[in-house]
Amino acid sequence: MLGRAVRIAAGVLLALIMIGTGTALSLPATRHIISGWWNLPDRLPALSDNVAVHYEPGAEDYARDVAELLPAAIARVEAAQGRPFAYPVALGVYVTPDAYAAANGTGSLAPVGTTFFGRVILSPKLFWTQRRRLPAILIHELSHAHIQGWLSHAQGWTSAGGYARLPNWFKEGLAVAVSGGGGAELVSEAEARAAIRRGEQIEIYDAGSLLSLPDVRFERPPARLEPSWYPVVLAYREAGMFVSYLRESDRPAFDRLMVAILDGRPFAEALTIGYHDNVQSLWQKFVESGDGPK
Ligand SMILES: [Zn+2]
């Protein structure tokens, strides 16, 4: 019993670092992480023909849908991020909102998927009301899990800090770009371009912090703040477009950047290795790339 308590304490500590959120220092967030750790999907039944896919009892059909999408989703992430997965990823799919909230590390039903401690956790919404989003959200979360896997492979315990120190705009932007828009579906590229032209731009920096919030933040927030999901999705779309620009404008540089990141280099260093440039200058080029003749 004591052994289990110690493991949970260690796991929570790691998760705090891995999620890298300032809010994790507050009690409610810590409670959600402990809850997630208690409810890791690994303990749920798994499909007999795909042991990576765990499901809440009653979610077997959902698990089968995910298993069917999985090989193509994994191949897409591996091709885009330049390597196979360091470890097989465990997934958890849920049919009841309470079980999902207890397992996803945030305690919230708002995200339709999370990557918690290297596991991909998928909301009941992706089986019911938002079924169409499932393929892209699965790829989005696998993008996060792929990086988490490599950083823990490269650096052991300290990797959790390594993941947290990658800028959120990059992690989310990469996941959006690799998944063809997963997580940013509700704001179009044209809308985001117009927002960027108005100066409603995300904050671009080259080092995350253990104390930074998990969101992608704005340098200057959009004038439109309603509905409440709008600024969040706009930020994801801008981040996704910037990462797509980085990849499409210089693929060899992007590949060098990914190798350096997956090897555990700090982001600023990885960017220099990749692009021989700094992030502010690259963002400026991205902004200008949208100013051409229309
Ligand atoms: Zn994400």
Side-chain angles (χ1 to χ4, degrees):
M1 212 49 215
L2 185 65
R4 176 130 196 239
V6 170
R7 271 198 308 137
I8 288 170
V12 167
L13 186 67
L14 251 183
L16 283 168
I17 299 168
M18 185 163 252
I19 290 170
T21 156
T23 53
L25 300 175
S26 71
L27 271 177
T30 308
R31 184 162 53 85
H32 300 318
I33 290 166
I34 292 171
S35 169
W37 187 253
W38 271 114
N39 291 286
L40 286 179
D42 320 28
R43 302 199 180 108
L44 293 173
L47 292 175
S48 54
D49 51 358
N50 192 334
V51 293
V53 186
H54 298 262
Y55 57 94
E56 182 190 358
E60 195 168 346
D61 288 346
Y62 185 5
R64 292 200 183 287
D65 287 356
V66 170
E68 205 169 302
L69 294 167
L70 203 50
I74 286 173
R76 182 146 164 177
V77 170
E78 290 180 342
Q81 299 187 185
R83 280 185 199 177
F85 278 78
Y87 302 105
V89 178
L91 300 95
V93 306
Y94 296 83
V95 272
T96 58
D98 284 353
Y100 171 65
N104 73 12
T106 71
S108 165
L109 296 175
V112 290
T114 68
T115 305
F116 180 71
F117 212 54
R119 280 79 164 176
V120 170
I121 315 286
L122 298 171
S123 164
K125 285 181 197 162
L126 294 174
F127 189 58
W128 304 112
T129 52
Q130 301 189 32
R131 177 67 180 77
R132 264 183 310 176
R133 297 180 70 196
L134 176 61
I137 296 294
L138 176 64
I139 297 168
H140 177 119
E141 297 305 332
L142 285 169
S143 162
H144 295 326
H146 179 265
I147 295 183
Q148 288 185 8
W150 272 104
L151 291 190
S152 65
H153 184 79
Q155 302 171 320
W157 280 64
T158 57
S159 68
Y163 185 76
R165 286 200 171 85
L166 290 176
N168 288 325
W169 68 260
F170 178 76
K171 288 182 278 200
E172 295 304 339
L174 180 67
V176 170
V178 170
S179 64
E185 297 93 333
L186 293 171
V187 174
S188 70
E189 292 199 359
E191 252 177 293
R193 266 294 170 195
I196 290 168
R197 270 189 220 108
R198 288 193 299 270
E200 299 172 356
Q201 300 183 3
I202 52 172
E203 191 184 343
I204 294 296
Y205 51 96
D206 60 17
S209 151
L210 295 184
L211 297 177
S212 70
L213 292 165
D215 314 325
V216 179
R217 287 169 297 179
F218 276 94
E219 186 79 45
R220 209 186 92 196
R224 178 182 161 190
L225 294 171
E226 295 293 334
S228 59
W229 53 258
Y230 180 79
V232 180
V233 179
L234 174 62
Y236 274 41
R237 179 60 83 185
E238 288 188 13
M241 288 164 68
F242 182 36
V243 173
S244 290
Y245 167 81
L246 290 176
R247 187 173 61 178
E248 281 150 31
S249 62
D250 190 341
R251 184 66 200 236
F254 185 81
D255 292 344
R256 287 193 297 270
L257 167 73
M258 283 310 306
V259 167
I261 286 173
L262 298 178
D263 283 348
R265 309 280 192 113
F267 184 77
E269 195 185 315
L271 201 71
T272 306
I273 293 168
Y275 288 85
H276 314 293
D277 201 350
N278 69 70
V279 76
Q280 297 302 341
S281 146
L282 289 164
W283 171 263
Q284 219 38 56
K285 288 173 188 161
F286 159 67
V287 170
E288 284 157 18
S289 75
D291 287 344
K294 286 174 271 302

